[in-house]
Amino acid sequence: MSAIELPESEMPDAELVQAARAAAEQSYSPYSRFAVGAALRFADGSVVTGTNIENASYGLALCAETVAVAKAMAEGVRGGLEAVAVVGPTADPITPCGRCRQVLNELAQLGGTDPVVLCVGAEEVRSIPLSVLLPHAFGPASLG
Ligand code: THU
């Protein structure tokens, strides 16, 4: 399956998108001024959010998706990841960076799911399975 584009009004996961938007409001991004919010939805209906956190040592910035995964895993979550919403400040949807794809993949593979990643723009949401964003992924199963 590849990307599906839907207007936001037709999205089934409007609440998740809203959670990602709210998370972006907490962004600490004084250097890039590029606020990102992420929201993870799990099989039990729970939602965990994250936002990007930058640093005066620029290269140490933490992405929103990575912060969300870290928050969830720090609370003991090890699977059930069904959907991820990502909201950036641009009109065009943003997709998770390569490192975040790998971080999301760890949690997805642990729980045996292939979450849909909702990349939220001003007028459209691109819905892309993580396995499409990160094909042939290296993950926990690869270690044998
Ligand atoms: N950023 C994210 O939070 N997620 C992404 O998927 C792409 C980039 C952040 C990192 C940095 O704080 C800012 O956006 C500009 O790159």
Side-chain angles (χ1 to χ4, degrees):
M1 192 179 19
S2 58
I4 301 170
E5 295 180 17
L6 291 171
E8 195 175 329
S9 55
E10 289 175 28
M11 282 302 305
D13 249 320
E15 281 178 26
L16 192 69
V17 169
Q18 193 41 46
R21 283 196 203 289
E25 288 174 19
Q26 303 304 325
S27 171
Y28 176 69
S29 47
Y31 308 109
S32 71
R33 303 199 177 283
F34 195 90
V36 182
L40 314 178
R41 180 169 51 69
F42 294 91
D44 66 358
S46 60
V47 170
V48 177
T49 62
T51 190
N52 53 330
I53 302 171
E54 298 186 343
N55 192 281
S57 178
Y58 299 163
L60 301 184
L62 300 174
C63 287
E65 302 91 319
T66 290
V67 169
V69 170
K71 278 175 65 182
M73 295 191 75
E75 297 297 333
V77 175
R78 294 293 183 269
L81 182 60
E82 289 187 340
V84 180
V86 183
V87 180
T90 50
D92 283 338
I94 62 163
T95 56
C97 79
R99 183 178 192 273
C100 287
R101 295 177 196 201
Q102 183 69 23
V103 169
L104 288 165
N105 176 71
E106 183 77 17
L107 185 52
Q109 262 201 20
L110 266 182
T113 61
D114 181 14
V116 64
V117 181
L118 306 174
C119 305
V120 182
E123 290 177 3
E124 55 153 330
V125 177
R126 237 172 253 165
S127 174
I128 313 171
L130 182 60
S131 62
V132 171
L133 288 173
L134 190 68
H136 312 288
F138 180 86
S142 313
L143 293 172

